[in-house]
Amino acid sequence: MIPAQFEYVAPTTVEDALAALAEGGEDAKVLAGGQSLLPVLRMRLNAPSLVVDLGRIESLRGVRDDGDAIVIGAMTTHSEVFHDPLVNEHATLLVKAIEQLADPQVRHRGTFGGALAHADPAGDLGAPVLAMGATFTIAGAGGSRTVAADDFFQGLLTTVIEDGELLTEVRVPKFTGWGAHYEKFVRVHHQWPIVAVAAAVRTEGGTIAEARVGLTNMGLTPLRARSVEAALAGQPATDEAVRAAAASATEGTHPPSDLNGDADYRRHVATVLTRRAVLAAAGA
Amino acid sequence: MTRINVTVDGASYSDDVEPRMLLVQYLRERLGKTGTVIGCDTSNCGACTVHLDGTSVKSCNVLAVQADGHEVTTVEGLATDGELHPVQQAFHENHALQCGFCTPGMIMQSIDLLKENADPSEEEIRLGLEGNLCRCTGYHNIVKAVQAAAGGSR
Ligand SMILES: Cc1cc2nc3c(=O)[nH]c(=O)nc-3n(C[C@H](O)[C@H](O)[C@H](O)COP(=O)(O)OP(=O)(O)OC[C@H]3O[C@@H](n4cnc5c(N)ncnc54)[C@H](O)[C@@H]3O)c2cc1C
Ligand code: FES
Ligand code: FES
């Protein structure tokens, strides 16, 4: 219930946070909203000697317009992203996913950057961000680098963020006017998805002009269903056409087998959820 | 030890705490505010819900040091001059508690949800309370109480 002892610092700038992390070395841990880290510390699955709290760094918070993209600060909470007018106008897929992520109390504390840095395969933000082709800005001692969503997720709870580095912001291209839907399959409402599918669709008349599809919990990282995207382009937004395209959602997936369902079951569910998500996003 | 300054239920406190101390521990063990309870080990149950700067959080999943400079309201800070908060009153009148263990968290989260949506539907109330579990499963009357507190127009 109670974490092991640690030293604590709460810097107010990214530079000070990086300096603290450099000093703390590999025993230092970044604290964002704490909604995943504090349970881990309480269960003593991890016992860092230094915790660097980003909660007082104002520059990491908020959403701004950047031409053809919106930029979301890593420390913007789930509930702030959910209510943000820019996100609601240009990235409705995020709104749809956050609406179903955890519960109100957790959404008040948990952050956009924290959830992505945590990289839980069942996390609800990875698939939408991957599907939208976001880029991640990571700050380190030697300056900042940007990483494409396709390269960001490396494996189970692992991203390209190295010790001593910080995720500072995520740049999400604008999907203005696209329809979006996040179809999440769970047993209990505020829990992690067994499988979920994120879909953004641009329709012209009754035809799907372009589609983006991301899969949650179908492997150790979120996955982009590129073959489904290709199969959907130019198709009518009908149940029949979307059902046929959704059949390839399982391509390249490695779903886990656990108490919630085995891998074959998840593969089946993924095709069903893909069909539902795409049809809902297309408004059909 | 880290020095923190917090306002809890309207009173200011200045205390030295270990960084690992959870906000719920601080409230219960340092300030004696045992109205906020601990119902689980996984941050699932919501019994420990308090308001941090006016929004609901699970105080078992916040460090006391993270509350430094901020304002906390617990279920003990709701009544004014001996008069129950309208949501407390509604829980009382609608028999929205059995053993009462989930009640502090249910009340704090209900206030939060009514702040965001003054006239919620039944579905919206159930969604707003999704992070709060009632082991006695008395959800119907809890929902009724929230509807009553909202004015019961829906
Ligand atoms: C009851 C409950 C239910 C939940 N349900 C869901 C759910 O349904 N779906 C879902 O997706 N999530 C769920 N979550 C998790 C939630 O989304 C968390 O907010 C999120 O996983 C972590 O975000 P955080 O800001 O709290 O990060 P923290 O817990 O503070 O940090 C998480 C990890 O990321 C690292 N980190 C954080 N920020 C940075 C940064 N800027 N740079 C580098 N490293 C960083 C930390 O060191 C840590 O390892 C749930 C959590 C709880 C407690
Ligand atoms: S004690 Fe905090 S959520 Fe259960
Ligand atoms: S009244 Fe007993 S837990 Fe809710």
Side-chain angles (χ1 to χ4, degrees):
Chain A
M1 180 71 206
I2 313 292
Q5 282 184 335
F6 53 78
E7 297 288 318
Y8 172 85
V9 288
T12 54
T13 65
V14 170
E15 293 68 38
D16 288 352
L18 290 172
L21 284 174
E23 202 158 306
E26 62 179 25
D27 277 342
K29 199 80 189 134
V30 170
L31 173 67
Q35 299 305 290
S36 291
L37 183 61
L38 293 180
V40 165
L41 299 189
R42 276 162 29 212
M43 286 182 274
R44 306 236 176 160
L45 298 173
N46 197 333
S49 54
L50 174 70
V51 169
V52 180
D53 182 359
L54 306 184
R56 295 179 198 267
I57 307 181
E58 275 309 313
S59 65
L60 292 179
R61 271 187 114 112
V63 182
R64 63 185 159 84
D65 197 316
D66 188 29
D68 58 357
I70 58 172
V71 179
I72 303 176
M75 287 299 291
T76 316
T77 64
H78 299 314
S79 114
E80 286 163 349
V81 175
F82 179 76
H83 287 109
D84 186 87
L86 285 170
V87 174
N88 278 271
E89 189 177 350
H90 303 297
T92 40
L93 183 52
L94 294 178
V95 178
K96 303 279 181 180
I98 293 173
E99 192 169 28
Q100 300 174 63
L101 182 157
D103 55 53
Q105 293 98 315
V106 172
R107 293 196 293 266
H108 286 148
R109 293 294 295 172
T111 67
F112 195 72
L116 292 167
H118 190 56
D120 190 305
D124 285 307
L125 294 181
V129 160
L130 189 62
M132 289 191 285
T135 46
F136 294 74
T137 306
I138 298 167
S144 271
R145 60 190 176 116
T146 55
V147 176
D150 282 331
D151 304 321
F152 180 76
F153 299 102
Q154 295 283 299
L156 183 71
L157 304 174
T158 311
T159 71
V160 291
I161 305 172
E162 304 272 354
D163 282 344
E165 287 188 321
L166 286 178
L167 174 62
T168 54
E169 57 188 32
V170 182
R171 193 168 187 280
V172 182
K174 286 183 181 170
F175 280 76
T176 324
W178 287 52
H181 189 77
Y182 190 68
E183 187 75 18
K184 175 166 169 174
F185 186 64
V186 271
R187 282 189 304 119
V188 181
H189 206 279
H190 66 276
Q191 282 196 353
W192 304 84
I194 297 168
V195 178
V197 176
V201 175
R202 187 170 67 79
T203 49
E204 278 169 12
T207 302
I208 295 173
E210 283 178 87
R212 298 290 185 88
V213 179
L215 309 176
T216 307
N217 215 12
M218 287 296 288
L220 295 180
T221 64
L223 298 170
R224 184 149 164 203
R226 282 205 160 78
S227 56
V228 178
E229 294 177 2
L232 284 169
Q235 292 296 314
T238 60
D239 185 73
E240 202 185 355
V242 173
R243 185 186 295 267
S248 60
T250 55
E251 237 174 64
T253 62
H254 303 279
S257 288
D258 57 29
L259 287 176
N260 285 316
D262 62 21
D264 277 343
Y265 174 73
R266 279 193 164 86
R267 280 189 201 99
H268 172 69
V269 170
T271 61
V272 174
L273 301 185
T274 299
R275 171 170 52 84
R276 289 185 192 160
V278 169
L279 284 171
Chain B
M1 290 286 178
T2 302
R3 160 78 32 148
I4 60 168
N5 296 293
V6 279
T7 304
V8 181
D9 295 337
S12 306
Y13 299 90
S14 191
D15 276 302
D16 288 324
V17 298
E18 274 191 306
R20 63 173 170 164
M21 180 177 249
L22 305 172
L23 179 58
V24 70
Q25 268 184 292
Y26 176 70
L27 295 172
R28 291 176 57 84
E29 295 168 20
R30 279 294 179 85
L31 305 188
K33 291 195 173 275
T34 49
T36 302
V37 295
I38 300 171
C40 74
D41 231 353
T42 52
S43 295
N44 272 291
C45 78
C48 65
T49 301
V50 301
H51 295 175
L52 187 59
D53 293 338
T55 49
S56 60
V57 301
K58 293 178 170 178
S59 61
C60 69
N61 218 14
V62 177
L63 298 170
V65 286
Q66 290 177 290
D68 181 28
H70 296 280
E71 197 171 319
V72 179
T73 306
T74 77
V75 71
E76 297 183 37
L78 295 178
T80 40
D81 302 329
E83 201 161 308
L84 293 181
H85 183 283
V87 174
Q88 289 176 306
Q89 188 67 33
F91 269 64
H92 176 66
E93 284 168 7
N94 288 277
H95 190 62
L97 51 149
Q98 293 172 44
C99 78
F101 200 82
C102 69
T103 312
M106 286 288 181
I107 288 176
M108 297 312 285
Q109 183 52 28
S110 298
I111 293 172
D112 187 271
L113 97 84
L114 289 172
K115 194 187 67 189
E116 277 207 13
N117 180 356
D119 185 24
S121 64
E122 181 188 336
E123 166 88 9
E124 287 166 343
I125 294 171
R126 289 185 187 273
L127 279 178
L129 295 176
E130 67 187 328
N132 293 73
L133 305 179
C134 176
R135 189 68 199 266
C136 303
T137 69
Y139 294 105
H140 285 299
N141 285 354
I142 291 170
V143 172
K144 263 204 273 173
V146 179
Q147 283 169 320
S153 62
R154 281 220 248 173

